[in-house]
Amino acid sequence: MTSSAARVTVPQLEVMKREGRKIVVATAYDFPTAQIADEAGVDVILVGDSLAVVVQGHETTLPVTVEQMLYHTEMVRRATQRALVVGDLPFGSYQQGPAQAIDVSVRFLKETGCDAVKLESGPRQMETIEALVGAGIPVMAHVGLKPQSIRSLGAYRVQRSHNVVDDAKAAEQAGAFSIVLECVSSEIAREATSQLAIPTIGIGAGPHCDGQVLVFHDFVGLTAGRTPKFVKKFADVRSLIRDATAAYCDEVRRGAYPDADYSYE
């Protein structure tokens, strides 16, 4: 690794908001991608339950388990030197209440070495956030579109209700150190960001948030098929990898690889 800077901390994120410095967040799921993100200067790496879709090939985030999230979070934490690492609490791991959430979150911090946990937040999670923070566990809350509630929502839609702002303020009051705003209108995101003392991290929430998060596979162009409107592809890595693999197949089939340069005497 090339980075030698001190690890980003939760209090530093609030300082960045006060100073108007944008916070860069990426979602990564394994050692090599997290290492690349860390070396590139990403401030926060979220090990998202979106790995159920991106890595495992499921249609929703619901199937991923606690054990799988711990496995991936531990890999990511081992890869990083600077970025603050947040483990995502999967569906079913905190909905039963504070005691369950604390038990699972303690496992995240102890077994993976991550710095914080994230949960999808609403009125029913305020007591849980308070309990986690009271137990010394930093919490990133998630409001707006909440993928773990897809069975209730019915579809992934942009959220334009001012309830999003209320949910964000309630999570802040409960002790969350930052708020992910997913798929909300730019105006709602602007309002939430202006009313909160803690950082807002947008994903499909426009330019007014204190920071932005995208999935690593999306912004480097590894994801196949259609991606949401808010995803900007900064590279086309999928094509590069496909071309390299095709060249490998061709050389093996022609007997061109391995030649003497790649063989032992």
Side-chain angles (χ1 to χ4, degrees), residues 136-166:
I137 300 168
V139 176
M140 173 182 281
H142 180 147
V143 303
L145 176 63
K146 293 178 279 189
Q148 291 179 9
S149 299
I150 187 58
R151 296 291 185 248
S152 298
L153 296 172
Y156 298 108
R157 299 187 182 92
V158 176
Q159 307 296 297
R160 295 184 171 87
S161 169
H162 283 271
N163 289 339
V164 172
V165 179
D166 294 337

Side-chain angles (χ1 to χ4, degrees), residues 52 63 65 72-73 84 97 108 131-132 146 176 180 188 215 234 248 255:
T65 67
H72 284 270
T73 304
L84 183 142
F108 268 81
L132 287 170
K146 293 178 279 189
V180 172
I188 293 294
V215 171
F234 291 83
Y248 167 66

Side-chain angles (χ1 to χ4, degrees), residues 89 91-98 100-101 118-133 139-143 146 148-149 167 170-176:
L89 300 185
F91 179 71
S93 68
Y94 60 93
Q95 282 84 357
Q96 293 179 29
Q100 182 197 28
K118 181 179 81 65
L119 57 78
E120 294 187 5
S121 179
R124 294 184 62 184
Q125 277 72 51
M126 294 307 101
E127 183 182 357
T128 296
I129 294 174
E130 289 180 352
L132 287 170
V133 174
V139 176
M140 173 182 281
H142 180 147
V143 303
K146 293 178 279 189
Q148 291 179 9
S149 299
D167 287 347
E172 177 184 42
Q173 186 174 1

Side-chain angles (χ1 to χ4, degrees), residues 14-255:
E14 292 191 26
V15 172
M16 291 176 73
K17 176 184 174 82
R18 290 198 300 270
E19 295 179 348
R21 291 185 284 145
K22 294 289 188 178
I23 300 165
V24 182
V25 185
T27 294
Y29 313 109
D30 58 28
F31 187 94
T33 55
Q35 188 177 53
I36 291 168
D38 191 59
E39 290 176 353
V42 167
D43 300 309
V44 180
I45 297 179
L46 169 65
V47 189
D49 64 353
S50 51
L51 72 87
V53 177
V54 179
V55 176
Q56 297 178 335
H58 294 293
E59 292 185 356
T60 72
T61 65
L62 300 181
V64 71
T65 67
V66 169
E67 297 301 328
Q68 290 166 344
M69 290 301 305
L70 291 169
Y71 172 74
H72 284 270
T73 304
E74 192 272 336
M75 280 191 284
V76 167
R77 179 59 175 79
R78 197 162 59 241
T80 62
Q81 289 188 341
R82 176 182 175 274
L84 183 142
V85 176
V86 180
D88 208 354
L89 300 185
F91 179 71
S93 68
Y94 60 93
Q95 282 84 357
Q96 293 179 29
Q100 182 197 28
I102 290 174
D103 286 345
V104 172
S105 298
V106 165
R107 290 194 65 192
F108 268 81
L109 268 63
K110 288 176 69 69
E111 296 179 26
T112 75
C114 72
D115 304 293
V117 298
K118 181 179 81 65
L119 57 78
E120 294 187 5
S121 179
R124 294 184 62 184
Q125 277 72 51
M126 294 307 101
E127 183 182 357
T128 296
I129 294 174
E130 289 180 352
L132 287 170
V133 174
I137 300 168
V139 176
M140 173 182 281
H142 180 147
V143 303
L145 176 63
K146 293 178 279 189
Q148 291 179 9
S149 299
I150 187 58
R151 296 291 185 248
S152 298
L153 296 172
Y156 298 108
R157 299 187 182 92
V158 176
Q159 307 296 297
R160 295 184 171 87
S161 169
H162 283 271
N163 289 339
V164 172
V165 179
D166 294 337
D167 287 347
K169 291 168 70 175
E172 177 184 42
Q173 186 174 1
F177 72 87
S178 65
I179 308 284
V180 172
L181 301 175
E182 180 168 359
C183 281
V184 305
S185 69
S186 294
E187 191 52 43
I188 293 294
R190 184 206 294 267
E191 183 178 346
T193 301
S194 67
Q195 293 189 32
L196 296 174
I198 60 175
T200 58
I201 308 298
I203 178 165
H208 307 300
C209 296
D210 299 303
Q212 298 292 329
V213 57
L214 282 177
V215 171
F216 183 94
H217 296 62
D218 289 347
F219 69 71
V220 302
L222 268 175
T223 305
R226 187 177 180 181
T227 54
K229 176 183 178 180
F230 59 78
V231 172
K232 179 176 180 178
K233 294 185 178 182
F234 291 83
D236 185 11
V237 172
R238 185 179 181 84
S239 293
L240 292 173
I241 294 173
R242 184 180 60 242
D243 292 347
T245 305
Y248 167 66
C249 292
D250 175 66
E251 290 200 13
V252 169
R253 288 169 179 150
R254 289 190 294 106

